[in-house]
Amino acid sequence: AVFVALLALAAAAPRPDSSLESAELVHDERAQEGASYSTNVEIDNGISIAESGDDDGVQGTYQFTAPNGEIVVLTLVANAGGAQFESPSGHLPVAPLPVQAIHPIPQHALEAIALAAQQRSAGVEWNQQGFVIDK
């Protein structure tokens, strides 16, 4: 699925001067046995895809050249714990650092937080509406 999405992105990318450039497949190696698979594709325009997966998840590296000429590298690790994308080339946004509060937390809020922690440690549980669950 990721392979198809990246290939579609590359195909839809604007081309300078509306040229009719074509790309040739340099390397195409695919294997599948049961739920395990691997894909290793390289195109002469700089696109390369190395992806493998099995019952435990998927991992891959995807590389292409951005319209401004920069080499973009993305890595993916997806498993039962979720999916994690990284960009060794620095092309994914990075969350800002946490902002320091400019006002102190009000005393009544600190008391409510402490009460909730005390109740939680005593085994009290709440449902999604905030009501105590009777056991």
Side-chain angles (χ1 to χ4, degrees):
V2 174
F3 169 72
V4 173
L6 285 172
L7 201 54
L9 273 173
R15 300 193 191 284
D17 305 324
S18 299
S19 65
L20 299 175
E21 296 177 28
S22 64
E24 291 187 31
L25 194 58
V26 176
H27 181 80
D28 186 3
E29 181 182 342
R30 302 169 197 221
Q32 181 167 1
E33 187 173 322
S36 298
Y37 74 94
S38 66
T39 300
N40 199 342
V41 175
E42 184 179 345
I43 303 172
D44 70 351
N45 63 2
I47 296 174
S48 69
I49 299 162
E51 181 180 291
S52 62
D54 56 27
D55 288 334
D56 295 326
V58 175
Q59 52 278 336
T61 301
Y62 314 91
Q63 179 175 313
F64 61 94
T65 304
N68 65 1
E70 290 183 315
I71 302 296
V72 178
V73 179
L74 302 173
T75 60
L76 162 71
V77 175
N79 54 34
Q84 182 175 357
F85 288 90
E86 293 182 358
S87 179
S89 58
H91 287 87
L92 289 179
V94 177
L97 296 174
V99 177
Q100 187 69 20
I102 58 173
H103 300 287
I105 299 174
Q107 186 60 38
H108 71 276
L110 291 171
E111 291 167 2
I113 292 168
L115 176 63
Q118 180 185 21
Q119 290 174 334
R120 196 172 293 116
S121 67
V124 176
E125 294 182 12
W126 295 269
N127 64 17
Q128 291 182 346
Q129 287 80 33
F131 297 104
V132 172
I133 299 171
D134 291 325
K135 294 183 182 182

